[in-house]
Amino acid sequence: DTEVTQTPKHLVMGMTNKKSLKCEQHMGHRAMYWYKQKAKKPPELMFVYSYEKLSINESVPSRFSPECPNSSLLNLHLHALQPEDSALYLCASSQERGTSEYLEQFFGPGTRLTVL
Amino acid sequence: AQKITQTQPGMFVQEKEAVTLDCTYDTSDPSYGLFWYKQPSSGEMIFLIYQGSYDQQNATEGRYSLNFQKARKSANLVISASQLGDSAMYFCAMREGRSGAGSYQLTFGKGTKLSVIP
């Protein structure tokens, strides 16, 4: 199973709503990632979890709150978002770093978020 | 300075012809990996091909090959026999180093939108 799944596929929320994005993988990967991608732009890294611990936070506003409850699941909790947060949110996973620079990241299909 | 440069915002290719998508990179790390991803309009990032900095031979995966010129710091993607389904955005990306927090990160280029014409 080389699949990363994300739910929901589409999400529309108001600025006062609280919602969560979910990501799941069963490849035994111990590194998981959240990316944000605006239209016609490359993905931007938001967070990295390694062995269920937050390893990298790329100065993301606190209205985005990641959570890694176990090695297969990654959540992104959303609260008080702004319209400019509308984007495609991609989850990815990979093996942990080893002795090689090869570290393929497997991406999920993404959640298209619209903030009204 | 940009670490990954893709100079072609958009490309057109006739179906069944070959096409080359350009990518140059900038790093002082002797250990790095170069990746190409395809992103159709549906949004999913699909891994295509990988080239390691120490690999002696150019990588190939089916219709995809990577023209790796280390001295020039270029890693161009060649797609042979283009198909309509190849129409998508293509991103070149680099990972630097084998350890440290930064080694998780993929630095992406701005992408090239490829359109295959029937």
Side-chain angles (χ1 to χ4, degrees):
Chain A
D1 183 4
T2 59
E3 191 180 10
V4 176
T5 59
Q6 288 187 246
T7 54
K9 290 189 177 180
H10 300 273
L11 178 63
V12 179
M13 61 186 291
M15 289 190 284
T16 59
N17 292 157
K18 283 186 181 181
K19 297 286 184 183
S20 296
L21 309 185
K22 180 181 172 182
C23 173
E24 193 165 4
Q25 58 88 15
H26 295 286
M27 294 178 278
H29 290 166
R30 302 310 296 270
M32 296 186 76
Y33 311 74
W34 279 115
Y35 288 86
K36 173 182 177 180
Q37 186 179 22
K38 301 285 278 184
K40 300 184 180 180
K41 298 287 187 183
E44 297 175 0
L45 184 66
M46 299 174 72
F47 303 104
V48 179
Y49 272 82
S50 170
Y51 291 97
E52 296 91 67
K53 291 190 190 314
L54 185 64
S55 180
I56 292 175
N57 177 343
E58 289 289 344
S59 302
V60 179
S62 60
R63 57 186 184 268
F64 294 92
S65 175
E67 178 197 18
C68 190
N70 60 55
S71 59
S72 300
L73 277 176
L74 185 66
N75 298 320
L76 186 62
H77 303 297
L78 314 172
H79 173 56
L81 294 193
Q82 304 295 313
E84 59 263 29
D85 296 321
S86 298
L88 178 68
Y89 287 84
L90 292 163
C91 173
S93 71
S94 72
Q95 295 177 357
E96 242 296 346
R97 300 158 301 170
T99 56
S100 167
E101 68 274 12
Y102 177 73
L103 198 71
E104 179 189 344
Q105 291 186 16
F106 293 80
F107 284 81
T111 294
R112 290 196 186 274
L113 174 68
T114 302
V115 182
L116 301 175
Chain B
Q2 287 186 26
K3 289 199 171 187
I4 296 285
T5 302
Q6 293 180 254
T7 57
Q8 307 151 315
M11 290 276 288
F12 290 89
V13 64
Q14 204 75 38
E15 193 178 5
K16 299 181 185 177
E17 292 188 349
V19 63
T20 298
L21 306 183
D22 294 342
C23 173
T24 57
Y25 60 92
D26 183 26
T27 180
S28 57
D29 198 315
S31 174
Y32 55 90
L34 297 158
F35 301 78
W36 277 93
Y37 283 88
K38 170 185 177 182
Q39 188 176 39
S41 56
S42 58
E44 185 172 0
M45 296 284 282
I46 302 167
F47 167 74
L48 295 178
I49 196 166
Y50 164 81
Q51 182 83 42
S53 57
Y54 297 114
D55 293 343
Q56 297 293 315
Q57 293 188 322
N58 288 344
T60 59
E61 288 285 350
R63 294 186 300 111
Y64 305 106
S65 60
L66 201 152
N67 184 359
F68 182 46
Q69 298 190 39
K70 195 170 182 177
R72 293 187 175 186
K73 294 190 174 178
S74 75
N76 298 339
L77 176 71
V78 181
I79 305 174
S80 63
S82 297
Q83 303 172 354
L84 295 178
D86 294 334
S87 294
M89 183 71 85
Y90 288 80
F91 290 100
C92 179
M94 177 173 65
R95 175 175 174 262
E96 298 172 273
R98 298 180 177 180
S99 62
S103 64
Y104 284 118
Q105 293 180 306
L106 278 180
T107 303
F108 287 89
K110 293 185 176 181
T112 295
K113 184 171 183 180
L114 178 67
S115 300
V116 180
I117 305 166

